[in-house]
Amino acid sequence: MQLKVPASFRADETMQLRVSDIPDLPDMSEGDAAGEQKARSSKNRRKAPRPSVFDRISTVLGPRLAPLLAALAPYVARVTPYARKLRPQYPRPGRTDWRRWIPSWRQWLGGFLCSIGLSGMFLVVAYAATDVPDNINSYATQQDNVYFWADGTPMARTGWVQRQAMPLKDIPEDVRWAVLAAENASFYSDPGISLKGISRALFRTIGQGDTQGGSTITQQYVKNVYLNQNQTVSRKFTEAMIALKLDNQMSKDDILEGYLNTSWFGRGTYGIQRAAQAYYGKDVGELNASEAAFLASLLKGAGLYDPTLNPANRARAVERWSWTLDRMVDIGKLSRAERAKYTKFPEPLKSNPLYDTGEQSDYLVELASQYAKKAGNISDKDFDLGGYQIYTTFDKKREAQLTDAVTKARKKAQKDDPKGAATAHYGASSVASDGRILAVYGGPDHRTQGYNESNATTVPAGSAFQPFVYAAGLEHGVHKTREGDTEKVTGQTLYDGDNLVPVTTPEGPYWDRNGRKAAAENDGGRSYGQISLHRALELSVNTPFMQLGMDTGLDVVRSTAEKSGLLPSSFGAQVPALSTGSSTPSAIRMASGYSTFAAGGKHTEPYSVRLISRNGTKLALEAPATTRAFGADVAEEVNSALADSFSTAHPDDVPSSQGQAARSGSLGRVAGKAGTTTDDTAAWYIGTARAVSTAVVVYRIDLTKSLEPLPLKGLAGKTDDSVPYGIWSGAMRPLG
């Protein structure tokens, strides 16, 4: 069939077909009729009602947007015919060459208006669909951790950040307006966002340029409290939407108060109050406009404007400070006369006084925080967020006495031997028989010394290790022959106490790696002949205990010492010198080990935290392990010998009740002994009174050269009247 097309229906330059120009078609065959019926059926199906765009959007976005979209529907329907007329026709009719492809001004105008309308619609929908988050950024509410003494009184406040919220009424107007002048002078009149600032920030973000600026204070508050610090387009858009909504939900004063209390000012501080303390050592209420102008500059980046870091920072800070004061004059918040007073830059403190303590409490906090995280199963991240109340075992009075005793010894050494005192170190700790760490001395100044001397494993225990060898022999017996039966040992068992007596094994003398017979050296080279083990411990004779260690088994001696509280890592080679104190325990561990004797042979791992709570809720703590190191009868015999050692060495210091108590097994008696090393690198005193063991060690190390211990050269005094004993005595008085 041939279809005739009249001349009026020929293709023109527009290449458009008009339905009204199609002529009547001739009759069709039966086949064509069937095709027509199918076409009509298909046409009827196409004409079935379809859901509108608004119906589909309403279904997706939910009933919240339905009223808004329904209200917009009539306006959309009204402009639709005009939009159709503006529909582009290409190539354009009536044009030739390249001009056929250039849109007309009507099309340009239509596109522009359409883009504005769609953008407006998108923003309206986005605003309606955006909610202010219920969950606040955890770092925005980060707090200090608070530590308490054993009696419940506050000891210290620490944390990854320092924050103390201040009501807006307590923040001077000069401080507020210094911040507003520097960051957002139109804060009280803007809608919460700045279109100019957002455009600038987006341009810089996309262009990978400077990402600072571009935000109102409301936007910055939203970023601090609800979002993260990522510089992305999506985050900036979300920030703007939340800021708009928040500006309608909160008062300007509330937003400003929140911003001033959550902003980062450097030096570990969040909030204007902590910043005032960190940079000027005063509360925010005491700041003047000049100091406030400097603090406002830190909001641009403390790492760039803290003048104490480098000269370039100072130059930037001075320039920003001056500009902020001038800006306060421009907006009418500072008179010219007042501005004229501030000609000198207000230099901040060189360091944060909130962390500038250097006191012993810093060492206590260090110990307690490590234990709290371990026993409370708290991650470093959660602990840094703060809000924990940590109740320690530290006794405030004992801590003061111990610190005072060591301080006096230090001053005396500096006076008597300045050269030796320059490299002297003093570690000390008091541990109760139930494992509580009551006091430590960690060093002279936590700021300048990065390690805790009470917890350092640096120097050998020397003859202070003898009680552990004695306990191992009493508990397990000895073997005189390789295959022989175990022989029982008591306090009256005799051993050779002569100086440099060779150590023997069932096969004969023990030869060291240098091909020499191993032998112990007594203090002062003195020989005692045959001497009981009880008396040998009382007088601190070395040779019997080196042989006792060999007879008992060095592995047994080490195991007994570890069960008593010494750490496996403090032991070296398993050779005869192990029995004479080659291990290097800390003062805390030596005090813990001696407390095992006072506790009847039961050892409790030392601990420094008894309770942790957060937001009023107690946290479950792993209880310190308590195990039996040796029998109660063994503990009593060792304790008895230590009591005699104390009485013999310091008869004038024996409490009036010591006589009978020393033989009755009362835990109230005083027991202790000194510890020395053959190479004169360490001097110890460990003693127990009223179920509390205190260990004191004095040694020399020149940290500028190496970690190798140096000879004391008389710095620790004489054995019977040593500096460690003087510290111990001062820390433990009144004794008995």
Side-chain angles (χ1 to χ4, degrees):
M1 181 183 68
Q2 185 175 3
L3 179 63
K4 279 179 140 186
V5 181
S8 61
F9 188 62
R10 291 173 188 163
D12 61 9
E13 292 179 349
T14 63
M15 299 295 291
Q16 303 295 315
L17 293 179
R18 291 172 293 178
V19 177
S20 59
D21 292 333
I22 300 177
D24 293 336
L25 300 177
D27 293 338
M28 295 180 289
S29 64
E30 291 182 3
D32 293 331
E36 179 187 20
Q37 181 66 28
K38 183 176 180 182
R40 287 176 180 173
S41 175
S42 175
K43 185 177 181 180
N44 290 339
R45 286 197 300 271
R46 286 197 301 270
K47 288 184 177 180
R50 296 174 61 190
S52 67
V53 174
F54 297 101
D55 291 336
R56 282 180 283 164
I57 293 178
S58 299
T59 301
V60 174
L61 296 181
R64 179 169 53 181
L65 297 178
L68 175 64
L69 297 174
L72 292 174
Y75 299 100
V76 175
R78 187 177 301 175
V79 301
T80 299
Y82 300 99
R84 288 174 179 168
K85 288 182 179 181
L86 294 173
R87 183 173 55 193
Q89 298 179 7
Y90 290 100
R92 289 179 58 202
R95 300 288 187 274
T96 60
D97 302 328
W98 58 271
R99 288 174 295 179
R100 301 166 59 195
W101 304 98
I102 303 300
S104 68
W105 67 270
R106 293 184 182 86
Q107 292 166 342
W108 280 112
L109 178 62
F112 176 72
L113 294 176
C114 184
S115 64
I116 290 180
L118 290 175
S119 299
M121 239 183 107
F122 173 74
L123 291 175
V124 169
V125 172
Y127 178 84
T130 299
D131 286 325
V132 177
D134 293 328
N135 55 320
I136 295 177
N137 186 336
S138 56
Y139 284 95
T141 55
Q142 191 171 357
Q143 306 170 60
D144 296 344
N145 289 321
V146 184
Y147 296 78
F148 298 88
W149 292 102
D151 62 3
T153 57
M155 182 180 77
R157 291 177 179 268
T158 65
W160 182 253
V161 300
Q162 301 177 50
R163 176 180 283 111
Q164 180 182 349
M166 292 293 290
L168 192 64
K169 63 181 179 63
D170 294 335
I171 301 175
E173 285 198 14
D174 280 348
V175 177
R176 301 184 219 170
W177 280 106
V179 172
L180 292 175
E183 293 293 306
N184 186 190
S186 63
F187 170 72
Y188 279 101
S189 59
D190 65 37
I193 64 171
S194 167
L195 295 178
K196 180 180 178 181
I198 291 176
S199 301
R200 183 170 65 251
L202 287 175
F203 175 78
R204 289 172 176 172
T205 300
I206 295 173
Q208 300 299 313
D210 179 17
T211 59
Q212 296 294 334
S215 298
T216 65
I217 277 181
T218 306
Q219 289 175 260
Q220 293 181 54
Y221 174 63
V222 167
K223 178 177 64 176
N224 291 342
V225 176
Y226 298 109
L227 304 176
N228 54 46
Q229 306 298 315
N230 296 336
Q231 297 290 342
T232 62
V233 174
S234 62
R235 204 273 294 155
K236 294 293 292 184
F237 181 78
T238 304
E239 171 192 296
M241 291 297 103
I242 296 177
L244 278 171
K245 185 154 285 189
L246 197 68
D247 195 73
N248 291 326
Q249 294 180 3
M250 292 177 65
S251 70
K252 289 288 189 178
D253 282 351
D254 287 343
I255 293 174
L256 180 59
E257 178 182 309
Y259 172 74
L260 291 174
N261 283 320
T262 58
S263 295
W264 165 253
F265 286 88
R267 294 193 179 184
T269 62
Y270 279 83
I272 192 71
Q273 165 70 355
R274 288 295 199 200
Q277 295 171 339
Y279 288 92
Y280 290 108
K282 59 177 70 173
D283 289 335
V284 65
E286 302 172 9
L287 294 176
N288 58 37
S290 178
E291 294 164 337
F294 162 69
L295 293 182
S297 71
L298 297 171
L299 294 168
K300 297 291 289 182
L304 295 174
Y305 290 89
D306 186 343
T308 62
L309 299 181
N310 54 62
N313 272 21
R314 190 181 187 283
R316 279 190 291 265
V318 171
E319 181 181 3
R320 183 73 176 175
W321 161 79
S322 181
W323 177 87
T324 301
L325 290 174
D326 292 340
R327 179 67 172 153
M328 291 178 70
V329 174
D330 293 341
I331 63 177
K333 298 303 177 181
L334 187 67
S335 68
R336 294 190 180 279
E338 187 74 11
R339 171 66 180 92
K341 296 179 183 178
Y342 304 126
T343 58
K344 185 178 180 181
F345 179 68
E347 297 287 353
L349 301 173
K350 293 189 179 297
S351 60
N352 186 347
L354 298 175
Y355 281 155
D356 195 21
T357 61
E359 297 176 353
Q360 287 301 307
S361 60
D362 294 346
Y363 295 105
L364 303 181
V365 164
E366 184 180 57
L367 286 173
S369 61
Q370 292 172 355
Y371 185 85
K373 286 186 282 189
K374 180 180 179 181
N377 294 312
I378 305 170
S379 67
D380 289 339
K381 177 182 178 182
D382 289 341
F383 196 78
D384 287 344
L385 289 177
Y388 291 94
Q389 293 77 47
I390 302 162
Y391 296 85
T392 72
T393 61
F394 303 126
D395 186 299
K396 190 174 184 178
K397 183 178 179 182
R398 286 184 179 275
E399 180 65 31
Q401 287 187 195
L402 182 60
T403 300
D404 183 62
V406 178
T407 302
K408 288 179 179 178
R410 276 189 181 277
K411 290 181 178 179
K412 187 176 186 305
Q414 290 168 354
K415 180 180 178 181
D416 297 343
D417 183 6
K419 185 176 180 180
T423 55
H425 297 270
Y426 303 75
S429 178
S430 295
V431 178
S433 58
D434 59 4
R436 290 174 295 130
I437 302 176
L438 302 179
V440 302
Y441 180 85
D445 191 335
H446 190 266
R447 295 167 298 180
T448 58
Q449 180 168 291
Y451 73 97
N452 187 335
E453 290 178 348
S454 71
N455 206 27
T457 56
T458 308
V459 293
S463 56
F465 188 79
Q466 291 174 1
F468 303 110
V469 184
Y470 190 24
L474 293 172
E475 178 74 8
H476 299 282
V478 297
H479 291 270
K480 293 294 186 178
T481 60
R482 184 66 63 190
E483 304 297 334
D485 295 334
T486 301
E487 298 180 18
K488 184 177 177 59
V489 170
T490 69
Q492 301 310 310
T493 301
L494 298 177
Y495 268 79
D496 191 342
D498 286 343
N499 186 50
L500 296 177
V501 61
V503 177
T504 61
T505 68
E507 288 77 21
Y510 182 95
W511 299 86
D512 62 21
R513 292 183 178 180
N514 295 321
R516 295 175 297 189
K517 294 180 180 179
E521 183 177 354
N522 292 331
D523 190 19
R526 183 178 175 183
S527 294
Y528 295 84
Q530 293 294 306
I531 187 173
S532 70
L533 290 174
H534 183 104
R535 181 66 172 170
L537 185 60
E538 176 185 340
L539 300 179
S540 194
V541 184
N542 292 327
T543 51
F545 291 102
M546 180 177 276
Q547 186 60 55
L548 176 63
M550 294 297 292
D551 295 343
T552 305
L554 296 179
D555 57 335
V556 175
V557 171
R558 174 172 175 166
S559 175
T560 301
E562 290 178 3
K563 290 179 181 178
S564 300
L566 273 62
L567 295 176
S569 58
S570 66
F571 287 89
Q574 201 160 284
V575 295
L578 183 147
S579 297
T580 55
S582 62
S583 62
T584 57
S586 66
I588 291 177
R589 286 292 168 173
M590 282 298 279
S592 175
Y594 272 56
S595 72
T596 304
F597 303 125
K602 289 185 178 180
H603 171 69
T604 302
E605 273 293 287
Y607 65 100
S608 56
V609 177
R610 58 185 177 84
L611 174 66
I612 303 176
S613 65
R614 192 182 195 192
N615 299 327
T617 302
K618 293 182 180 179
L619 274 65
L621 292 181
E622 294 181 4
T626 299
T627 57
R628 178 162 288 284
F630 36 78
D633 56 337
V634 171
E636 167 56 26
E637 169 53 31
V638 176
N639 228 20
S640 174
L642 290 173
D644 288 342
S645 176
F646 175 80
S647 300
T648 300
H650 308 285
D652 296 337
D653 292 334
V654 177
S656 58
S657 60
Q658 176 88 335
Q660 185 60 33
R663 287 177 286 275
S664 66
S666 168
L667 295 183
R669 65 186 168 185
V670 180
K673 77 177 301 295
T676 57
T677 60
T678 55
D679 53 4
D680 189 37
T681 56
W684 291 81
Y685 195 87
I686 307 98
T688 304
R690 291 167 295 175
V692 174
S693 298
T694 298
V696 181
V697 61
V698 178
Y699 57 97
R700 288 180 61 231
I701 290 180
D702 189 347
L703 295 175
T704 63
K705 296 181 179 179
S706 73
L707 294 178
E708 193 68 25
L710 302 173
L712 287 168
K713 295 183 178 180
L715 187 70
K718 299 178 180 179
T719 302
D720 292 341
D721 188 23
S722 67
V723 171
Y725 175 76
I727 294 173
W728 180 89
S729 179
M732 298 298 290
R733 290 197 183 277
L735 300 178

